[in-house]
Amino acid sequence: MNFDFSDDQKQLRDQARKFLAEKCSPKAVRVVLDGKAPYDKELWKGLAEMGFLGVAFPEEFGGAGAGHLELCVIAEEMGRANAPVPFSSTVYLAAEALLIAGTDAQKKKWLPAIASGEAIGTLALFEGKGNPSPKNVKLTAANGVLNGVKKPVADGAIADFAVVAARTGSSGRDSDISLFLVDLKAGRAEVKSLTNLDPTRGQAEITFKDCKAEPLGAAGDGWSILTQVLDRAAVLCAFEQVGGSDRALEMGRDYALDRIAFGRQIGSFQAVKHMLADMYVSATLARSNSYYGAWALSTNAAELPEAAAAARISATQAFQHCAKNNIQVHGGMGFTWEFDCHMYYRRANAMALGLGSLTYWEDQLIDRMRKKNAA
Amino acid sequence: MNFDDTPQEAEFRATARAWIDANAPKQYEDELRKSSLGRTVLKNADILEVAKAWQKKKADAGWACLHWPKEYGGRGSSPIERVIWQQEEGPFGQLSRMFIIGHGMCGPTMMAFAREEHKRTYLPPLASGEKVWCQLFSEPAGGSDVAGLRTRAEKDGDDWVINGQKIWTSGAHYSDYGILLTRTDPTVPKHKGLTMFFLDMKSPGVEVRPIKQASGASDFNEVYFTNVRIPDHQRLGEVGDGWNVSLTTLMNERSAIGAAVSTGFPELFEYCSSLVLDDGPAIEDPAVRSKLANWAVKASGLKYTSMRAISALSKGERPGPENSIGKLVAGSMIQDVATYALDLQGASGVISGEDAELAGRFQAMLLRAPGTRVEGGTDEIMRNIIAERVLGLPGDIRVDKDVPFNKIPTKGRG
């Protein structure tokens, strides 16, 4: 047993941290935050050059042929830097769906393009309110033609292609759902940007009107593929959330050391110290749950569904907890646009919803624990 | 990152499992499995006797205090082998709670500071459970301010003469030895005038009075010292260096207690899996599921945090203050879990003891839980440790820091 990343993986983490510290300063993030660009194109290109986008892809598809543990350590740094790029939508969702269910031709078409930074992908699953569920998929597919509306779609406005969940049956079972690949630049998909909690990662509404699509995976397998994609993304997002939690904690700690009030560093007041200690505790629990998720993901263990749900819940709670209390430690300054605290607060709360809400994952976790106990 | 056993670990596990299977006191397995914080009791047997017998059997076969060196009664095992043993020992591990103070705190302190001949004399019977040890630190006026203690040790020839009182001493009523923190110089600031000893609890002048706790049980004691003589060779560390010696003990205490504190979650999950509420099975109620999920990730987070610590240990890193997390999180969690379990029982939750649901398991947990949040350092002290030693925040302002101990104003000082 060894419950830690290897020295090589830690080195990769350091490399990613250094790269992002240089190329993804808060100032750079603000260009996107202030609406001056839809995402940081330079950074995206740089990530491709570093080999980070395709780190977990097999070499034959333009990747580095490393594994998901390597992707996890990079994800942590993406979260720490609050990177304003479509990393999670492209790499955790679209690419994972292709890796799980794509044909050789589909993988050859899209994965090398993702790895080189030429293609941005996304998953079009949600249709308004509600959590991931076959019954919430109303968009239809018939004879390879899609009709319906998806929203919110993460990074939908800048994506080149989407993996779309569509209804192909009416039996009331999971097998009513199938997945499709849509080239968004090939027309018949109308894309509209939506304002959202976290402008550093866009959201869109996509209307598919008689839109041609090719199947991804076998007909009727859509829901089982989606479940796997969401579980994998839950672990990867958890690492982003852990990175974000740690950064928010650091910001709070540094401010508490720096700021003097009532003649003392505010970090010497127990009320402030204890708030920061609690942030550390939640970030640590999230990190440990995420490590377990990383192990399950990298070995494709039978424990993955339960581990993914636990990592998701723990990391979501930790990031929200750390981001909100970071603002609290900063006092009034933390609530200004000028300070960076709100960027993490926005990201934390947007990420809490991206793969389905906390309530949804709590429900999933208990279901999965029951199944394990029954087995 | 790997959760699977290496071939050597698998072999160790198989050997341990076979031995436990052949030797464990199986007649108590069911009762031990159902016990949880607040009620490790056996109906028809004295738990101390059962625990001692199991510990002795383990020691004779080389399975006691696995990580201790062999010459002191251990096995010289790796941290991971220790974990494997705990996993395999399962409910029988409950019995070692009787020795947690001795094995977790007194033993490591003796190992670090006692003379070699004392280590060889005292440690093996401690490992084998033949002799039970306690830790005499807290005092009525002290509490979290451990260094504010007043029990005096005065040199008289080759002996030290002890006068004073300790409190909250777990297991003193059945202990054979104790480690004792005393004040040897009241004219210097409080942290500088302390000295540590170990002593025979049967020494003349030692009087143990059990304290009845809020839970109704008596796990703790007051201990009075009247002209108790301790030979100088039983001193641990230098005169005046007792605070540093005690930090070793306290650091070990937090990891020992932190690793051992149960969260109550497995019990609650099992309970909710079978409980039927007015509107159907509890486990299908969204509110119940949400609560369970929140505690599930805390429990798993603690489990994997301790595995990370063990991985670090096995690479030769020392346990750090981050181990304070275990007790901090589990302590308040078990209190909340017990409260919620009773809430699910509705009006009948008020009934405790044998007449209650599950023979009062959660009621006992509820009544014992407040102690967990205090013993071995309060939640507030744990947060201070994390804030100061992990996050590097300033220490609390201590107005008594540079003041000679005997000049510090203290209400009620005798």
Side-chain angles (χ1 to χ4, degrees):
Chain A
M1 191 205 84
N2 174 22
F3 197 30
D4 197 3
F5 287 100
S6 68
D7 289 344
D8 283 352
Q9 286 152 357
K10 287 179 187 168
Q11 226 168 44
L12 177 66
R13 173 159 61 199
D14 293 345
Q15 195 189 4
R17 184 173 301 188
K18 209 171 140 217
F19 173 80
L20 286 159
E22 203 176 297
K23 307 281 182 192
C24 185
S25 65
K27 207 175 145 197
V29 178
R30 281 175 177 275
V31 175
V32 179
L33 179 72
D34 291 334
K36 296 189 185 101
Y39 70 105
D40 189 336
K41 279 187 192 168
E42 276 305 301
L43 177 61
W44 191 243
K45 222 172 86 189
L47 290 167
E49 280 160 14
M50 294 295 287
F52 292 165
L53 299 180
V55 71
F57 302 172
E59 287 174 48
E60 55 173 317
F61 301 122
H68 282 89
L69 290 176
E70 282 73 12
L71 183 53
C72 286
V73 299
I74 291 169
E76 183 181 334
E77 297 311 315
M78 298 297 286
R80 163 178 282 273
N82 205 43
V85 285
F87 196 75
S88 52
S89 50
T90 305
V91 178
Y92 314 156
L93 293 167
E96 288 297 329
L98 282 162
L99 283 167
I100 292 169
T103 61
D104 240 36
Q106 287 169 333
K107 288 182 192 166
K108 275 199 179 109
K109 178 172 180 193
W110 292 112
L111 293 178
I114 290 174
S116 65
E118 287 153 50
I120 291 169
T122 187
L123 172 71
L125 166 61
F126 299 108
E127 300 181 22
K129 284 198 292 283
N131 277 312
S133 160
K135 73 176 181 354
N136 289 337
V137 177
K138 311 270 198 246
L139 178 142
T140 58
N143 305 318
V145 173
L146 307 184
N147 277 291
V149 182
K150 293 287 183 183
K151 76 166 178 185
V153 181
D155 301 306
I158 54 172
D160 299 284
F161 72 100
V163 173
V164 185
R167 174 164 298 278
T168 47
S170 54
S171 67
R173 291 196 209 104
D174 289 0
S175 58
D176 290 344
I177 308 302
S178 305
L179 292 187
F180 293 86
L181 268 175
V182 177
D183 187 336
L184 294 172
K185 303 295 182 212
R188 300 214 74 87
E190 263 174 48
V191 179
K192 187 177 102 183
S193 278
L194 304 171
T195 56
N196 91 88
L197 289 174
D198 174 18
T200 61
R201 284 193 176 165
Q203 298 287 343
E205 175 183 291
I206 307 184
T207 305
F208 297 88
K209 205 182 279 172
D210 297 329
C211 185
K212 270 184 66 179
E214 57 178 287
L216 177 67
D221 277 359
W223 200 256
S224 93
I225 299 165
L226 269 174
T227 307
Q228 295 171 60
V229 171
L230 290 176
D231 283 352
R232 291 181 181 209
V235 175
L236 296 164
C237 282
F239 274 89
E240 282 206 8
Q241 291 165 310
V242 165
S245 305
D246 267 11
R247 181 67 198 125
L249 168 60
E250 265 175 30
M251 289 164 74
R253 191 265 319 265
D254 291 349
Y255 191 77
L257 287 170
D258 198 44
R259 162 89 170 137
I260 309 277
F262 305 102
R264 292 157 61 177
Q265 289 164 293
I266 61 167
S268 68
F269 293 108
Q270 275 198 351
V272 175
K273 282 164 84 166
H274 289 189
M275 185 157 59
L276 288 160
D278 284 340
M279 289 158 73
Y280 173 80
V281 169
S282 64
T284 301
L285 295 179
R287 178 177 290 281
S288 302
N289 276 310
S290 299
Y291 278 27
Y292 186 61
W295 166 78
L297 172 62
S298 67
T299 57
N300 208 14
E303 289 88 345
L304 176 60
E306 186 186 331
R312 168 78 186 162
I313 296 166
S314 190
T316 298
Q317 290 176 336
F319 196 11
Q320 288 181 314
H321 178 79
C322 290
K324 84 177 174 189
N325 283 333
N326 178 35
I327 296 182
Q328 187 67 17
V329 170
H330 278 75
M333 297 315 290
F335 186 58
T336 61
W337 188 268
E338 184 194 344
F339 271 58
D340 295 335
C341 306
H342 69 106
M343 300 201 287
Y344 287 87
Y345 184 64
R346 290 168 179 284
R347 179 66 68 81
N349 286 292
M351 282 196 82
L353 305 165
L355 305 174
S357 67
L358 198 54
T359 317
Y360 166 77
W361 285 97
E362 287 170 356
D363 200 46
Q364 292 286 311
L365 177 63
I366 298 304
D367 257 348
R368 292 163 180 195
M369 290 179 70
R370 282 179 82 191
K371 270 190 199 128
K372 187 187 72 181
N373 279 18
Chain B
M1 197 172 297
N2 192 355
F3 267 81
D4 300 324
D5 289 341
T6 62
Q8 293 89 330
E9 286 163 5
E11 195 188 316
F12 178 85
R13 187 185 293 281
T15 314
R17 181 178 296 176
W19 189 84
I20 290 165
D21 198 48
N23 292 284
K26 296 259 172 65
Q27 66 272 35
Y28 305 114
E29 183 169 2
D30 200 43
E31 275 182 281
L32 289 171
R33 198 177 289 285
K34 283 184 184 151
S35 76
S36 51
L37 180 71
R39 49 178 298 127
T40 312
V41 286
L42 301 172
K43 251 186 213 162
N44 300 312
D46 178 345
I47 182 121
L48 181 62
E49 290 312 312
V50 174
K52 280 187 161 189
W54 174 229
Q55 192 65 28
K56 181 75 171 66
K57 212 169 185 182
K58 289 197 283 186
D60 289 345
W63 295 107
C65 294
L66 272 76
H67 58 300
W68 287 16
K70 283 185 185 160
E71 62 266 35
Y72 304 143
R75 191 185 179 88
S77 284
S78 71
I80 289 170
E81 285 176 341
R82 190 178 164 200
V83 173
I84 292 172
W85 169 267
Q86 282 164 353
Q87 289 169 345
E88 295 302 322
E89 193 180 15
F92 303 108
Q94 299 266 13
L95 293 169
S96 27
R97 279 173 193 238
M98 310 301 294
F99 309 113
I100 188 172
I101 307 278
H103 292 165
M105 303 155 217
C106 304
T109 308
M110 288 289 285
M111 253 177 262
F113 295 100
R115 296 175 175 205
E116 187 56 36
E117 73 258 30
H118 285 335
K119 292 187 206 176
R120 291 181 184 269
T121 307
Y122 292 99
L123 289 172
L126 166 56
S128 64
E130 288 159 271
K131 298 294 179 190
V132 180
W133 285 59
C134 63
Q135 173 199 309
L136 300 143
F137 282 19
S138 294
E139 297 197 6
S144 293
D145 182 12
V146 177
L149 61 87
R150 289 191 257 155
T151 294
R152 298 187 312 279
E154 285 152 329
K155 195 77 192 290
D156 180 26
D158 281 342
D159 288 349
W160 293 82
V161 179
I162 316 293
N163 280 286
Q165 183 202 345
K166 297 288 174 179
I167 195 170
W168 313 127
T169 314
S170 322
H173 51 307
Y174 53 78
S175 286
D176 303 287
Y177 297 96
I179 57 173
L180 172 70
L181 192 57
T182 63
R183 183 163 308 280
T184 40
D185 186 355
T187 67
V188 294
K190 65 178 182 180
H191 289 96
K192 295 186 177 144
L194 304 175
T195 304
M196 183 86 87
F197 300 93
F198 73 92
L199 85 161
D200 186 335
M201 288 295 284
K202 307 290 184 301
S203 307
V206 177
E207 188 200 344
V208 177
R209 294 185 201 161
I211 300 167
K212 187 170 180 180
Q213 297 147 216
S215 61
S218 295
D219 306 322
F220 299 97
N221 304 272
E222 293 178 294
V223 183
Y224 292 84
F225 298 90
T226 312
N227 295 322
V228 176
R229 299 188 80 87
I230 302 180
D232 185 61
H233 60 79
Q234 290 185 197
R235 175 163 44 80
L236 297 171
E238 299 302 313
V239 175
D241 200 37
W243 183 247
N244 282 327
V245 178
S246 74
L247 287 181
T248 303
T249 316
L250 293 172
M251 198 64 90
N252 279 295
E253 173 173 40
R254 271 151 210 158
S255 38
I257 293 185
V261 173
S262 53
T263 60
F265 177 73
E267 291 92 335
L268 183 69
F269 189 79
E270 188 191 327
Y271 181 53
C272 290
S273 297
S274 58
L275 178 68
V276 178
L277 300 172
D278 292 349
D279 299 325
I283 193 85
E284 282 166 25
D285 181 314
V288 174
R289 290 165 78 91
S290 175
K291 289 266 191 192
L292 286 177
N294 276 288
W295 284 317
V297 303
K298 278 192 181 169
S300 61
L302 287 183
K303 179 176 159 195
Y304 302 130
T305 299
S306 78
M307 291 175 92
R308 285 173 56 208
I310 290 156
S311 292
L313 263 181
S314 58
K315 286 181 201 159
E317 295 166 31
R318 282 180 65 81
E322 55 273 14
N323 284 324
S324 300
I325 286 182
K327 200 185 91 72
L328 175 61
V329 175
S332 57
M333 180 167 154
I334 198 165
Q335 194 166 32
D336 294 343
V337 160
T339 306
Y340 189 63
L342 301 198
D343 183 80
L344 289 172
Q345 294 172 14
S348 73
V350 75
I351 303 164
S352 65
E354 287 298 314
D355 296 331
E357 281 269 286
L358 304 175
R361 188 178 193 182
F362 289 110
Q363 284 80 0
M365 207 188 269
L366 177 83
L367 293 176
R368 179 60 180 78
T372 306
R373 297 183 56 198
V374 174
E375 63 200 1
T378 60
D379 285 2
E380 291 68 30
I381 293 290
M382 295 295 153
R383 288 193 173 93
N384 268 9
I385 289 171
I386 293 169
E388 293 171 19
R389 296 205 215 137
V390 181
L391 301 177
L393 292 163
D396 281 6
I397 289 175
R398 297 185 168 102
V399 293
D400 61 357
K401 194 167 171 253
D402 299 316
V403 181
F405 183 74
N406 56 8
K407 299 279 190 283
I408 299 170
T410 305
K411 200 179 171 194
R413 169 162 304 210

